[in-house]
Amino acid sequence: MGGKIAILGDIHSNLEALETVLEDCRREGVDEYLCTGDVVGYNACPHECLEIIRSLGCPVVKGNHDHYIASRASLEDFNPYAAAVVRWTRDQLSGEELEYLHNLPFSVVTKGITLVHSTMDRPERFGYVFDIQQAETNFSNQITPVCFHGHTHCPMIYERQFSGVGMIEPQAFTITAGRKYFINVGSVGQPRDGDPRAAYVIYDIRAKTLDFRRIEYDIESAQRRILAAGLPEHLAERLALGQ
Ligand code: ZN
């Protein structure tokens, strides 16, 4: 039995979303986890979310928020809302937790699957993949048939076959042997595709199927925590909109 892998990413310190997603994983009989990064940032529970993800004992790659929170690097590439939360989050985490984030790898290959936060084309630059051209550049640097990523917070399937690269809207999907897949698993803690429900993917490694999950969670509770922490109100509002 077994063979169901949950791929979670862009959790962004959203404890309500993470706990609800993990309950769904248990109901679905998930046996393993992979994390595409950005465990922290934007929401108000960085410590709790880090503790939960670390307790899963799974491979985790470094997201841009993890990277900037764990360093003293300049935040000029960040929008002001994101930068405010980066500074706030730095103050919430222990030295040991910041060290953990700092030491995360930019990409991992495990069981024939690649994990990266953004793209295999210079993952340390955190480029965004929104179209076929950007996906093609990733595929040139992707060694395994299947690679999971996040970063845009919008789930999507990019498929490369002989005739070229195609974009496939998230849906129940079966992987075809001989092709390559670059799969965006969406965001657990701050979806931006217009659907506010938490997003993640279950990959059945034997049946080669992808299940794009959308899970309702207690958004109002996550919003109250953002406001109570003194974080920008805009970050609470966008959770309800899925933007
Ligand atoms: Zn993110």
Side-chain angles (χ1 to χ4, degrees):
M1 290 299 286
K4 280 189 172 187
I5 304 176
I7 307 98
L8 319 174
D10 293 285
I11 295 146
H12 283 301
S13 303
N14 187 333
L15 180 60
E16 283 80 3
L18 178 59
E19 285 181 331
T20 311
V21 158
L22 290 175
E23 281 164 25
D24 187 63
C25 289
R26 283 188 280 273
R27 269 196 305 274
E28 292 294 316
V30 163
D31 348 75
E32 276 181 75
Y33 295 88
L34 299 172
C35 178
T36 52
D38 271 1
V39 179
V40 295
Y42 288 129
N43 287 275
C45 297
H47 168 73
E48 294 85 345
C49 289
L50 252 185
E51 199 166 44
I52 291 172
I53 290 297
R54 293 176 76 176
S55 76
L56 297 174
C58 67
V60 182
V61 292
K62 191 192 281 190
N64 51 322
H65 285 255
D66 306 323
H67 178 72
Y68 284 98
I69 285 164
S71 76
R72 294 283 151 201
S74 144
L75 301 175
E76 61 191 35
D77 287 347
F78 275 72
N79 71 53
Y81 301 112
V85 191
V86 167
R87 292 192 194 94
W88 180 87
T89 306
R90 280 176 182 163
D91 292 339
Q92 307 302 311
L93 296 178
S94 70
E96 191 275 333
E97 286 171 320
L98 294 172
E99 186 74 15
Y100 167 83
L101 291 175
H102 178 73
N103 289 331
L104 289 173
F106 288 106
S107 66
V108 165
V109 174
T110 175
K111 300 182 178 191
I113 297 167
T114 305
L115 270 189
V116 68
H117 184 64
S118 54
T119 162
M120 289 306 287
D121 171 38
R122 292 189 250 186
E124 72 287 354
R125 291 197 174 183
F126 300 112
Y128 288 88
V129 175
F130 278 112
D131 60 32
I132 284 171
Q133 217 171 12
Q134 292 157 338
E136 264 169 0
T137 317
N138 167 77
F139 280 124
S140 309
N141 296 276
Q142 177 184 325
I143 295 161
T144 61
V146 174
C147 174
F148 292 103
H149 73 292
H151 197 35
T152 66
H153 299 204
C154 296
M156 185 60 68
I157 304 167
Y158 297 92
E159 179 185 54
R160 189 170 85 172
Q161 53 176 307
F162 194 67
S163 55
V165 173
M167 273 171 92
I168 303 162
E169 291 291 327
Q171 55 187 272
F173 189 82
T174 305
I175 299 277
T176 302
R179 300 180 184 174
K180 265 190 185 177
Y181 294 90
F182 185 53
I183 300 147
N184 194 314
V185 298
S187 170
V188 169
Q190 195 199 69
R192 290 181 196 158
D193 59 344
D195 181 345
R197 294 174 299 169
Y200 79 103
V201 166
I202 297 177
Y203 179 43
D204 186 320
I205 202 161
R206 298 212 181 108
K208 304 285 182 206
T209 52
L210 299 171
D211 183 0
F212 286 83
R213 312 282 301 163
R214 294 313 286 252
I215 312 297
E216 276 181 29
Y217 72 96
D218 189 346
I219 291 177
E220 284 176 16
S221 171
Q223 290 176 316
R224 281 194 294 274
R225 288 187 200 264
I226 288 173
L227 299 178
L231 293 169
E233 219 176 301
H234 165 74
L235 295 174
E237 288 163 6
R238 70 187 294 180
L239 283 184
L241 303 171
Q243 289 177 357

